[in-house]
Amino acid sequence: MVTFVSVLKYEQIKVNKALEHELAAMPAPLRDIVGHVLMAGGKRLRPLLTLLSARLFGAEGDGLYRLAVIPEMIHVATLLHDDVLDEAESRRGRKSAHLIYGTAPAILAGDALLAAASHRTASFGIPSLLTCVSEAVLMTAAGEAHEIALQHSLMHSLKEYIDIVAGKTGWLLKGSCRLGALYAGASEDEVEAVSDYGLNLGIAFQIVDDALDFADEAVTGKPTAGDLMEGKFTPPIMKYFEFLPNMDRERFREKFKSGGFSAEDRVRIAADIRRLGFDTEARAMADEYIAKAQACLDRLPHRFEQKVFREALEFVRNRKS
Amino acid sequence: MVTFVSVLKYEQIKVNKALEHELAAMPAPLRDIVGHVLMAGGKRLRPLLTLLSARLFGAEGDGLYRLAVIPEMIHVATLLHDDVLDEAESRRGRKSAHLIYGTAPAILAGDALLAAASHRTASFGIPSLLTCVSEAVLMTAAGEAHEIALQHSLMHSLKEYIDIVAGKTGWLLKGSCRLGALYAGASEDEVEAVSDYGLNLGIAFQIVDDALDFADEAVTGKPTAGDLMEGKFTPPIMKYFEFLPNMDRERFREKFKSGGFSAEDRVRIAADIRRLGFDTEARAMADEYIAKAQACLDRLPHRFEQKVFREALEFVRNRKS
């Protein structure tokens, strides 16, 4: 764990420098709004995955940072668009870009960032990198659309939840790992192993995130049970709904459909979920994907980067906020 | 002219078939909304430019249609996003996608189409194609953002107008031509000549479009003077504003700032613009870019496709709706 957090923090500095370089190359009318989100901090987990993956397979040098920023640019593009479509008020501690600059510039800034990420990818002259990046964008958008199609419905299954999560979060983490391996010229088996690692890491990450949605506000500093309002049928909510006596289900369903839970409802349901251990049970579901990711690591070279990949799994498992 | 229109109509059939193929490959949650706009008709001018350009430099075969759909996919992605950001109610005779399927799916569908276009581009294994495509997307978004930044302001110059138009319309027509030439392995000079042709064609196309905004509704079937409401400072409006006596300018400026023209205002101003010949003067500005595009054609091989390119300029010049 010590190593993972140190490496993450250490690399953030160089990743941020490379991101500033990309920002400076953006067309003038979009630079401010892109910068507002691109340079607002963030863990830079995706660039780290790309760096680790490229180095694991023998690539080296400072040029790697130009590669590593690609998934972060895509990630930030999706954040810009997500904030518009969720009508979110803040992001990474700052007021949402669309509320400062307007909806239209926010949409265009996302488009421009997607294009800039493709442009940077093309600059390496390796077509497989582009296939990797465009697939990740496509599957991320599809995952989000799938989620929206099922929003405010209690009818779908755990399998559908996992499909959504694999799309909206897993594919870009997969793509981040894959990008580094393809760049470094890893073998087909190795590319697949590190891609599967990223996908399973991403699924676990999102499951933990959805469990943390019911954590105590006093601990996380974030409003609790936002997913109830947004009508996202996540594992803790699935378990809670199953637990409800029949007589209470209809009322819950109505509120879930309309996002009509009061602040008191949310605090009470979140407390119930914690008391009944449904958030802990949800986290245990993440362990299944962490185990799959670990098995992928066994197929990879036993080098320093592989060790950091292993610690990343612990980081995700133990995340408290 | 006969040839251009025949070729356009003839190719539409094969282009539409190739677009249906791309649509079938879209992830399920987005297929309906993408199809709503992608298969709603449209001239398919951009695919035609790509086909002509590729063939002009010796490429052939049905595989070209897979290349030619790329700029149309990008175009439709921008339409999906534009309708959200303009809050448009209809598109190509159909109710806007975001009003049927929702804003969030419309944004995601645009993102997915951009990604699918990149994915298709990557499938050719030629990195320069990707640079071409991503640059076109980036510059289109920048042009639109530039326009929005100056929206509802009467303070900017003709030069800024041309910059906007070159961005929002010119770059993708340029990219459409460039894509075909790069694919066919044209020389650097030839690639530049056909790219410049496309850029100037695009600028002329948009200037004519902006002049047609003041045409008689009875002729075009489209509401007149929409640009007054949207606060777009186009050449006919520039000329009209210059023509206004000082005492009337302030009131015009106020209405332009707020988009507060009444239906009567719009019909009256459009009639004035036509009577004073400001729409015709604006179209004459397009001739300048048509002449530039013609000069580019002189640097290209004297083949059938070059003749069709020449007719495309006449088509743009004479467009009545």
Side-chain angles (χ1 to χ4, degrees), chain A residues 20-97:
Chain A
E20 271 170 18
H21 187 79
E22 297 295 335
L23 180 62
M26 292 295 291
L30 291 165
R31 211 172 294 143
D32 284 354
I33 179 168
V34 167
H36 181 78
V37 189
L38 193 64
M39 305 316 298
K43 288 186 288 295
R44 313 303 189 197
L45 173 62
R46 292 159 189 81
L48 181 65
L49 293 176
T50 305
L51 288 172
L52 290 172
S53 178
R55 289 185 190 138
L56 180 63
F57 299 111
E60 55 185 22
D62 273 1
L64 286 184
Y65 293 94
R66 286 205 303 278
L67 184 75
V69 293
I70 294 166
E72 189 72 8
M73 292 163 80
I74 292 167
H75 176 56
V76 169
T78 67
L79 296 182
L80 274 157
H81 285 179
D82 287 354
D83 284 350
V84 173
L85 47 93
D86 292 343
E87 295 167 25
E89 291 186 3
S90 66
R91 164 71 66 188
R92 289 179 174 172
R94 296 190 184 188
K95 194 171 173 185
S96 291

Side-chain angles (χ1 to χ4, degrees), chain A residues 26-27 29-30 81 84-85 104-105 107-108 111-112 114-116 118-119 122 125-127 130-131 134-135 137-138 141-142 144-146 148, chain B residues 26-27 29-30 81 84-85 104-105 107-108 111-112 114-116 118-119 122 125-127 130-131 134-135 137-138 141-142 144-146 148:
Chain A
M26 292 295 291
L30 291 165
H81 285 179
V84 173
L85 47 93
I107 295 175
L108 293 169
D111 292 352
L114 288 177
S118 288
H119 195 257
I126 308 171
L130 226 298
T131 304
S134 52
E135 248 172 21
V137 176
L138 191 58
E144 290 192 57
H146 192 179
I148 288 166
Chain B
M26 291 294 292
L30 291 165
H81 285 179
V84 173
L85 49 93
I107 295 175
L108 294 170
D111 293 352
L114 288 178
S118 288
H119 195 259
I126 308 170
L130 226 300
T131 304
S134 53
E135 246 173 21
V137 176
L138 192 58
E144 290 193 57
H146 192 179
I148 288 165

Side-chain angles (χ1 to χ4, degrees), chain A residues 288-309:
Chain A
E288 193 185 318
Y289 295 91
I290 287 174
K292 283 189 193 181
Q294 261 159 349
C296 296
L297 290 182
D298 296 338
R299 293 150 58 195
L300 296 178
H302 293 203
R303 296 179 62 164
F304 172 76
E305 292 80 15
Q306 188 230 31
K307 192 179 147 213
V308 183
F309 274 145

Side-chain angles (χ1 to χ4, degrees), chain B residues 91-128:
Chain B
R91 163 73 65 189
R92 289 178 174 175
R94 296 189 183 190
K95 194 170 173 185
S96 291
H98 68 108
L99 295 181
I100 300 174
Y101 299 93
T103 298
I107 295 175
L108 294 170
D111 293 352
L113 257 180
L114 288 178
S118 288
H119 195 259
R120 171 53 65 211
T121 309
S123 75
F124 292 95
I126 308 170
S128 65

